Amino acid sequence: MARLALLSVSNKTGLIDLARSLVEEFNFDLISSGGTAQAIKDAGLPVTKVADYTASPEILGGRVKTLHPRIHGGILARRDVPQDITDLENNQIRPIDLVVVNLYPFEETIAKPGVTLSQAVEQIDIGGPAMLRASSKNFAHLAVLCDPAQYDEYLQELRQNNGQASLEFRQKAALKGFSHTASYDQAIASYLADSQHYTLRGTQLQSLRYGENPHQPATWYQTGTTPTGWTAATKLQGKELSYNNLVDLEAARRIIVEFTDTPAATIIKHTNPSGTALGSTISQAYQKAFNADSISAFGGIVALNRPIDAATASELTKTFLECVVAPSCDAEAQEILAKKSNVRVLILPDFSSSSKETVKAIAGGFLVQASDDVIADTSKWQIVTERQPTEGELAELLFAWKVCKHVKSNAIVVTSDRTTLGVGSGQMNRVGSVKIALEQAGEKAKGAILASDGFFPFDDSVRTAAAAGITAIVQPGGSLHDKDSIIAANQLGLVMVLTGVRHFLH
């Protein structure tokens, strides 16, 4: 007797080629439901509709098609258990050797604008997950395929093993089936969830060489079914991305997305910017960012908000860099960058695509917060000193504030000419960060701007900044001693602006 395959798919990619090989090369009989059966029939291949096989019509508008003993008995029967075989014979059920199922497009549906709850609910598959789970459970006796990418591998298994899929392949396919149903159910749970429940899910994109250190295994997962963010990036050249590369690239993306109207470049080291700058061209912006701290730029991650041209590519090849990312890269620039074949060059057309939440694991659970995507609005800033900022100073204060938002707290950023001069990050006290930033800026601090991600609890940092030549300060305010800092700023002739927004980054 011919073997029996059940095909019931929403995504019909590769369906007909698979069905034809099963019938013509391996002598399978096919049963199928709904649109899948019609597609196979239209291709001129023999197929039996599930309703005809079970002698039970589809009911409830198609909600019940495959939920039948002749289907699930054929899937779940153990070929090495005599009673199971007797049950099949007594109920005229054929054992099923292959199940090919993928599920209703629930995630694609809810991603569409204006989708109603009732529309989403109708895309919750019932029979598909039931068949996937049943066939995955019984992998010892049949194979299950839930992804068109598996079809060729399955056919190769049959060709290499006298028409049988190996147990190793069947077990691997079963794992993929269970992972698929788990991800599907989580998507539904996330859609219906209230604030008391939070689900985190992803599909393995690739194993990484290691995590932050060689002794830490690491894996890159994709969220959702459609690639977005870094999963949608194209790597033009270079080695495989590492865990640390991806973390730093994300830090670079968060900074560069702050600047859309002007060419901008940032260089990241250990998630902090060693240099960030704006320029009239992207080449100029990169050179300014590099010169801000050329020592730290060695081995850095570069993000550019404009296409890489030949002039910029030539500058990029002058030092060792881990990664470069930009919206695009012209052909001449690619030829220049190819001389540095190890540098990873990525194209990310949409820098703005990001998660609306951040998640951090802690012992016994995890923390979820809304992403810090507040857009700076200078119309809401308070100028609290007697001296008012000029138009140029206000623009510089805004630049410094945007960069400071993405520096690890305690964060201090000194800038001039839309270029970072000094960055103090991650110190246990704000005074320490101020000293580091001013020391990096050196003589260039004279006439420069200083930004602080949190308030000044005392006036000492204000006086230190003024002594170094800082002329204007932007900070959130909110300290019980704001008055002391404001008095000091007035005494020293500084501008002080309070944003009313804090940007701690831990």
Side-chain angles (χ1 to χ4, degrees), residues 248 251-252 255-256 264-277 285-304 316 319-323 403 420 423:
D248 283 335
I255 290 183
I256 212 69
T266 190
I267 305 174
I268 297 294
K269 289 296 289 292
H270 306 298
T271 73
N272 283 306
S274 65
T276 301
Y286 169 70
Q287 290 178 65
K288 289 170 67 179
F290 176 82
N291 291 331
D293 186 351
S294 58
I295 295 175
S296 297
F298 183 86
I301 304 288
V302 175
L304 310 168
L316 290 167
T319 191
F320 167 65
L321 299 170
E322 287 280 354
C323 304
V403 176
T420 56
V423 178

Side-chain angles (χ1 to χ4, degrees), residues 75-95:
I75 292 173
L76 286 165
R78 294 159 293 187
R79 317 298 167 81
D80 55 356
V81 176
Q83 185 59 53
D84 284 10
I85 301 302
T86 299
D87 287 342
L88 293 183
E89 293 171 351
N90 290 342
N91 291 278
Q92 297 182 315
I93 298 174
R94 289 178 63 181

